[in-house]
Amino acid sequence: MTRLTNNDVSPISSHLKEYDQKLCTMTDHTLLGIACHAYGVDEKKIKQAMKFFDIQVVPITAGQGIITDFSETVCVILKFLGFNAAVTPEPDVNGLCLAYENKADAVMMADDFRFIAINLHTRKVTDNSDATGLVFASALDLLANGLKDKKTTVLGCGPVGESAARNLLSSGAKVSLFDPDQTAACSLEKKLAAEFKNPKILIEKDIHAALSGNPFVLEATPSNLSIPDELISGLKGMAAPGVPLGISQNAARVLKDRFIHDKLELGVAAMAVSLLL
Ligand code: 2YG
């Protein structure tokens, strides 16, 4: 899993409003709306519930330590959505104690291995990888005006790709899997085939085969160029939770408002909504 840097995180807060509007233009849904669509919940109910729901973000110094602005940016995203949120004044165990003592309803925190949200009443735990795969699949579904029976390729069969593939199958999409590590694609196919009682899931041998004839892509790899420019023109829509972005700047310009990518926003929005379910 890719570790974000301050360069990834620092521009987010000042571009949130602009990003929210871009999502609206592309999917007819806001950041909150896409997260609600992902969980199939009514946005009005979520807006009502979030007013009385306090989320404390706890910085964690373990491992490689604090990412400057990470906790603050998570907090800004939560407040932009309409939650009460704050970063605890202390990190780690002290921060967790303060959250409980201040009667927080939920905490969010990340070390080098997991980024999680916990509802302190229901004890529900949401993992960022699961939420990110789900919410980007939801965004692609909206971008495509519904993915039922539409050919969709999932690039990258890690935790995010797995969550995305599972939710694309639930949306009725015809899913193909590609991963440079074929064994990862094969084991994911087996897992999903068992869950969905043998749906037709194709495993693609190479990126050209994976994209030719498949107009929708969910890019969930840590590569900065998982899709060569020459394969971009055939795409109708792309959702890219992979960090860094897996296409060139030129390809991003060609795709314009047919592709959705961010490094934190949609995943945090989905984690927060999941706490209210
Ligand atoms: O509290 C802090 O500042 C640090 N302990 C945060 C470390 C986060 C490490 N994880 C990542 O950078 C990403 N896996 C976060 C999620 C990326 C979006 N899918």
Side-chain angles (χ1 to χ4, degrees), residues 1-5 8-9 57-72 91-92 109-115 128-129 132 136 160 241-243 262-265 267-268 271:
M1 178 181 25
T2 310
R3 181 180 164 89
L4 296 176
T5 65
D8 293 322
V9 167
V57 184
V58 185
I60 301 296
T61 63
Q64 298 183 59
I66 298 286
I67 297 174
T68 306
D69 295 335
F70 176 82
S71 296
E72 292 72 13
D92 305 325
M109 63 187 87
D111 64 12
D112 297 347
F113 306 101
R114 292 193 72 180
F115 175 19
N128 173 264
S129 295
T132 298
F136 272 85
V160 175
V243 176
D262 72 46
K263 296 181 170 58
L264 207 47
E265 300 91 316
V268 166
M271 291 168 84

Side-chain angles (χ1 to χ4, degrees), residues 145-246:
N145 291 314
L147 278 172
K148 186 156 176 38
D149 300 330
K150 292 181 185 172
K151 288 184 169 185
T152 307
T153 302
V154 175
L155 300 185
C157 295
V160 175
E162 172 178 337
S163 172
R166 181 170 290 116
N167 289 287
L168 289 167
L169 286 167
S170 303
S171 309
K174 288 188 175 351
V175 173
S176 296
L177 301 175
F178 174 73
D179 193 296
D181 170 5
Q182 282 280 315
T183 51
C186 290
S187 55
L188 179 56
E189 189 274 336
K190 274 187 186 49
K191 190 172 185 178
L192 293 172
E195 281 179 36
F196 286 83
K197 305 271 175 300
N198 294 327
K200 253 186 76 49
I201 302 172
L202 293 178
I203 295 176
E204 300 291 352
K205 295 275 172 287
D206 66 70
I207 188 69
H208 293 80
L211 294 185
S212 60
N214 287 7
F216 296 99
V217 175
L218 193 121
E219 200 277 347
T221 78
S223 156
N224 64 359
L225 193 57
S226 59
I227 304 177
D229 281 10
E230 66 269 16
L231 295 179
I232 289 292
S233 54
L235 297 183
K236 280 193 185 147
M238 177 171 156
V243 176
L245 176 60

Side-chain angles (χ1 to χ4, degrees), residues 43 75 100 161 165 205:
E43 190 174 336
C75 185
Y100 271 91
K205 295 275 172 287

